[in-house]
């Protein structure tokens, strides 16, 4: 990435929608080839309760399945569904040949044990890559399924020709879904990775040293322009609402685009990539279950 002073031209805006469309087209091609062999990838999406954000995510996942030619089933269950009922459903889906991938939409209503449910999913159908078996495989660099959001971030960096090898990568956030697997994938790509979190001292200074800065905090306005190294690649995984209820990321975009070399917007950055990678994993799962590598 070239050197750049604040106040020069604006950062390249990475178009997540366009990159996701390309990946979905590839996945659609793979699904069509499988169809010729009589194999139909299928995704089961389980949603419990009435969280509005989860409802939107699930609708988008179903729509993407239709677009790429993946069969999908939705299990929309009421708030009061018990752990036993959910475990019984997961067990049934584990044994259902039409279903290649199972996804339990997070967060679940209070009182349900999410990790026990994830552990009940057959690791070969765990298209979120949340099962401890798949987390362990990722840790060893021998994963079958790539974690969707972090894998999407890597694809976005590649699309913008951002070199990862040897670069200083800073991930803000240490969640199981984004921060930790993101660090693993950057490391697999030979990046030098620092993970920052709520207890990190000198956060701004560490961020300013990043050639690649990935923010997965969940707080609007968290990353300001002065935290960004001129010319850096800035990836915003945040999905927040501002004071007026508008969807926004963690990064103050108007400040950051004056300093960064390239940057992802919210919406239209990482979000569409997560779903594209989920489609890819579902096709991978169908292949795996049918002995195709
Ligand atoms: N909730 C927010 N992101 C995700 C995701 O990637 N997978 C699932 N299952 N739930 C989520």
């Amino acid at each position: 990435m070239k050197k750049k002073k604040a106040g020069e031209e604006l950062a390249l805006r990475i178009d997540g929608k366009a990159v996701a469309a390309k990946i979905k087209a590839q996945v659609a091609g793979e699904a069509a080839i499988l169809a010729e062999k009589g194999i139909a990838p299928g995704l089961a999406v389980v949603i419990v309760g009435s969280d509005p954000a989860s409802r939107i995510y699930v609708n988008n996942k179903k729509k993407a399945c239709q677009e790429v030619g993946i069969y999908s089933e939705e299990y929309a269950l009421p708030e009061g569904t018990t752990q036993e009922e959910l475990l019984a459903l997961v067990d049934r889906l584990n044994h259902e040949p039409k279903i290649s991938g199972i996804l339990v939409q997070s967060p679940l209503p209070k009182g349900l044990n999410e990790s026990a449910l994830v552990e009940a999913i057959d690791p070969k159908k765990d298209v979120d890559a949340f099962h401890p078996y798949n987390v362990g495989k990722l840790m060893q660099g021998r994963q079958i399924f790539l974690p969707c959001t972090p894998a999407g971030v890597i694809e976005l960096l590649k699309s913008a020709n951002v070199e990862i090898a040897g670069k200083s990568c800073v991930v803000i956030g240490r969640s199981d879904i984004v921060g930790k697997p993101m660090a693993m994938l950057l490391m697999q790509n030979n990046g030098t990775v620092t993970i920052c979190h709520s207890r990190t001292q000198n956060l701004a200074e560490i961020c300013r040293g990043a050639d690649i800065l990935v923010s997965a905090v969940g707080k609007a306005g968290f990353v300001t322009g002065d935290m960004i190294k001129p010319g850096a690649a800035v990836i915003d995984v945040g999905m927040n609402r501002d004071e007026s209820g508008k969807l926004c990321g963690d990064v103050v975009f108007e400040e950051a685009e004056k300093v960064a070399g390239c940057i992802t917007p919210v919406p239209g950055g990482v979000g569409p990539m997560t779903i594209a990678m989920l489609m890819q994993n579902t096709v991978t799962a169908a292949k795996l279950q049918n002995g195709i590598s």
Side-chain angles (χ1 to χ4, degrees):
M1 191 76 37
K2 69 187 161 55
K3 288 266 176 285
K4 183 174 160 191
K5 290 196 197 85
E8 276 184 29
E9 83 270 28
L10 296 180
L12 166 79
R13 208 179 273 224
I14 304 176
D15 185 349
K17 257 180 142 170
V19 182
K22 246 190 196 169
I23 290 172
K24 282 192 285 184
Q26 279 167 19
V27 174
E30 287 182 62
I33 291 168
L34 288 178
E36 282 171 13
K37 297 183 167 65
I39 298 166
L43 177 68
V45 181
V46 181
I47 175 171
V48 188
S50 53
D51 178 55
S54 290
R55 183 71 260 165
I56 295 170
Y57 291 144
V58 166
N59 287 349
N60 289 341
K61 287 168 186 174
K62 275 172 30 191
K63 198 169 134 242
C65 283
Q66 274 175 356
E67 275 171 38
V68 303
I70 289 178
Y71 167 76
S72 73
E73 288 180 358
E74 178 187 307
Y75 295 86
L77 305 172
E79 194 87 24
T81 305
T82 64
Q83 183 79 9
E84 289 67 34
E85 285 166 332
L86 283 168
L87 285 169
L89 173 60
V90 167
D91 186 55
R92 182 156 70 75
L93 295 170
N94 279 342
H95 294 97
E96 172 54 62
K98 276 199 298 202
I99 295 302
S100 339
I102 303 167
L103 181 152
V104 178
Q105 186 64 33
S106 170
L108 288 172
K110 280 204 180 72
L112 292 169
N113 184 340
E114 197 163 321
S115 48
L117 212 52
V118 167
E119 286 183 39
I121 296 173
D122 180 340
K124 289 197 269 328
K125 294 193 175 187
D126 171 37
V127 284
D128 262 329
F130 290 170
H131 190 288
Y133 175 84
N134 287 318
V135 174
K137 294 287 264 187
L138 174 68
M139 188 93 175
Q140 295 177 333
R142 299 191 295 131
Q143 64 271 6
I144 314 160
F145 299 118
L146 288 166
C148 298
T149 300
V153 170
I154 298 289
E155 290 296 328
L156 289 176
L157 290 170
K158 287 185 177 164
S159 78
N161 293 318
V162 175
E163 170 126 23
I164 304 171
K167 298 296 176 190
S168 164
C169 307
V170 172
V171 179
I172 322 177
R174 55 177 158 180
S175 70
D176 289 342
I177 296 188
V178 184
K180 288 183 215 166
M182 186 73 252
M184 285 298 144
L185 284 191
L186 288 165
M187 200 157 57
Q188 278 186 25
N189 282 275
N190 300 309
T192 301
V193 184
T194 305
I195 307 179
C196 296
H197 47 77
S198 53
R199 303 288 289 272
T200 298
Q201 293 178 0
N202 307 323
L203 179 80
E205 197 181 315
I206 295 168
C207 291
R208 269 194 295 277
D211 300 306
I212 297 170
L213 180 62
V214 180
S215 183
V217 178
K219 280 192 189 146
F222 191 85
V223 177
T224 47
D226 61 312
M227 292 163 72
I228 296 166
K229 178 176 177 174
V234 177
I235 307 289
D236 193 348
V237 187
M239 282 275 191
N240 316 301
R241 299 268 165 195
D242 67 13
E243 317 82 55
S244 57
K246 225 177 87 195
L247 191 65
C248 67
D250 295 340
V251 178
V252 182
F253 190 88
E254 303 70 33
E255 290 181 19
E257 71 173 343
K258 294 192 178 99
V259 191
C262 59
I263 184 166
T264 60
V266 178
V270 175
M273 294 302 294
T274 299
I275 295 181
M277 302 321 287
L278 174 69
M279 298 298 108
Q280 176 74 72
N281 279 349
T282 306
V283 166
T284 301
K287 285 184 182 170
L288 183 72
Q289 287 151 38
N290 286 279
I292 302 167
S293 57

